[in-house]
Amino acid sequence: MNSVKLVQIEPTTRCNFTCAFCSGRHMEQRDLEFHSFQTVVDRMPELECMELQGEGEPFLHPRIYEMIRYAKDHGIQVSSISNGSLLTAANVEKLLDCGLDSLNISIESPEPEEFNKIRGGDLNKITEGIRRLVKRKEERGTLTPVIGFSVTVLKSTASKLDDIFMLYEKLGMDGGISIQFLNASREYSRHYTEKENGENLTGKEQLLIRRDYFRRLGHIQINKTAEHFFTRIEEAVKVNSGQAGYCVWLEDAIYINCQGYASSCVYIKDGEHLGLGHVERDGMESILEARRKEQEAIRSCIPTKSCTYINCEVVKQIKNMALN
């Protein structure tokens, strides 16, 4: 009942890019302590899949490759999302040595100038790094990490999605393409300026883009050797959609931020006040018990304090049930 199969861990909030829609720049800039990471892995033996990614660039953490190797040595499938700026020759070898299963590269536009305006990074350098990783995978005869794109679709770049698919194929990538839209939860939207709010797409526009996205998805090469963390999340949601009081995070997952605080949801950024406890000061046993209580409350259609603050779709569903 209280097992945790999926964990998302935030290695750092530091980043070398300047994406205006990212909430990480408004947070304390720090790295997760390695012993806190070890505590999570050691005290959660049922873990199957780990996502090493949060509000910063994961590969800026000085011990990120050790984290991946430590999790892999415990039989955990590991994935990450990166801005792709650090795929140097030396880092590509480290990445292949540590055993990462899946790597998604964030992108909004396939045009270097537009990409730079949005992210403050060099797209040509990133594509060079992707090519390097693809080539070394082939030379070493390994299927992992599978390499894909994570696309945040903006109103100004929605028409470029087809070009991103073509770039994916041109680079020889094999990890698939995922899409999302600007996050509407308050932990993100409260930092949006008028410009970012102008990049939001209507529900109808998002529906049309998703329909076109799935059509395109069936025509690209995707290696199913390693599923990404969020693929597991999406599959669980599909299976249980429509079930009142169902929350994929409280049923199967947990989030650990770079301060070492555990939360029942990835959208809870203030783990100190809205979380389940600190992995070392409070211990994983206490955290899992707090999680169990939140799990039972949501299953009983009673919103918790943290869930009410986030006001996610599960909470909205529960509120609507109470009104009807």
Side-chain angles (χ1 to χ4, degrees):
M1 180 180 180
N2 199 32
S3 65
V4 181
K5 298 178 182 178
L6 313 175
V7 63
Q8 182 173 350
I9 299 178
E10 177 180 65
T12 183
T13 45
R14 297 184 298 116
C15 189
N16 54 348
F17 277 18
T18 57
C19 311
F21 48 78
C22 176
S23 65
R25 70 188 68 262
H26 304 282
M27 301 166 68
E28 179 189 7
Q29 302 295 284
R30 62 175 293 167
D31 300 329
L32 177 68
E33 296 289 344
F34 188 71
H35 48 82
S36 294
F37 173 82
Q38 289 177 304
T39 297
V40 175
V41 175
D42 293 346
R43 299 296 178 85
M44 298 174 70
E46 295 179 318
L47 283 178
E48 297 176 0
C49 191
M50 173 185 293
E51 171 74 7
L52 280 172
Q53 179 256 337
E55 296 304 324
E57 167 51 44
F59 290 90
L60 282 177
H61 193 289
R63 302 184 70 177
I64 186 67
Y65 302 103
E66 291 178 72
M67 287 180 171
I68 297 168
R69 184 73 266 166
Y70 193 81
K72 291 296 299 176
D73 286 344
H74 283 74
I76 302 169
Q77 187 181 59
V78 186
S79 59
S80 185
I81 298 177
S82 168
N83 63 30
S85 65
L86 302 173
L87 292 174
T88 63
N91 286 343
V92 162
E93 298 306 317
K94 292 178 186 176
L95 195 58
L96 293 170
D97 288 341
C98 70
L100 183 70
D101 293 286
S102 176
L103 178 67
N104 274 14
I105 306 298
S106 298
I107 188 172
E108 284 71 47
S109 172
E111 299 176 3
E113 185 176 346
E114 186 174 46
F115 181 94
N116 180 261
K117 287 181 179 179
I118 295 170
R119 299 192 138 254
D122 185 343
L123 181 59
N124 291 323
K125 179 181 177 182
I126 292 166
T127 55
E128 179 185 340
I130 293 172
R131 287 191 180 95
R132 181 181 292 119
L133 179 55
V134 169
K135 181 181 178 182
R136 288 298 292 142
K137 273 177 60 179
E138 293 175 351
E139 291 173 346
R140 291 176 57 154
T142 180
L143 296 175
T144 57
V146 295
I147 313 160
F149 276 143
S150 287
V151 185
T152 300
V153 182
L154 309 174
K155 185 179 283 288
S156 62
T157 62
S159 62
K160 312 291 176 61
L161 194 56
D162 197 45
D163 292 331
I164 290 176
F165 272 78
M166 286 192 289
L167 177 62
Y168 172 95
E169 292 188 304
K170 181 180 178 181
L171 293 172
M173 300 169 75
D174 60 354
I177 298 175
S178 64
I179 65 168
Q180 63 179 8
F181 303 95
L182 283 185
N183 198 306
S185 71
R186 69 179 68 192
E187 286 289 4
Y188 292 85
S189 61
R190 66 193 178 101
H191 298 302
Y192 294 163
T193 65
E194 184 178 348
K195 181 180 179 181
E196 281 77 64
N197 283 321
E199 292 285 9
N200 279 308
L201 291 143
T202 66
K204 183 178 180 180
E205 288 172 329
Q206 291 184 21
L207 182 63
L208 291 173
I209 289 170
R210 285 191 185 280
R211 186 180 300 165
D212 198 35
Y213 157 76
F214 284 115
R215 177 186 63 80
R216 290 190 179 105
L217 199 62
H219 299 285
I220 65 171
Q221 176 189 356
I222 301 177
N223 187 335
K224 294 294 185 180
T225 300
E227 286 186 305
H228 201 275
F229 172 88
F230 292 108
T231 304
R232 296 279 299 269
I233 292 285
E234 290 168 5
E235 288 174 351
V237 170
K238 285 180 183 177
V239 170
N240 295 280
S241 62
Q243 181 180 328
Y246 173 80
C247 170
V248 65
W249 283 90
L250 281 172
E251 294 297 331
D252 293 306
I254 198 167
Y255 179 71
I256 313 292
N257 73 10
C258 67
Q259 296 175 315
Y261 287 102
S263 299
S264 55
C265 172
V266 65
Y267 298 132
I268 298 172
K269 302 304 176 184
D270 185 1
E272 183 176 2
H273 299 101
L274 294 172
L276 304 169
H278 192 275
V279 297
E280 293 193 86
R281 291 197 294 270
D282 300 302
M284 290 307 303
E285 291 78 7
S286 173
I287 286 170
L288 292 177
E289 175 60 19
R291 178 180 177 274
R292 183 191 64 78
K293 290 179 180 178
E294 288 203 0
Q295 183 186 64
E296 290 184 349
I298 292 297
R299 282 180 176 178
S300 300
C301 295
I302 303 171
T304 65
K305 177 183 176 181
S306 58
C307 294
T308 301
Y309 176 79
I310 296 301
N311 197 31
C312 67
E313 292 304 315
V314 175
V315 174
K316 291 176 183 176
Q317 180 190 52
I318 290 172
K319 289 179 178 178
N320 288 334
M321 288 173 57
L323 291 174
N324 295 329

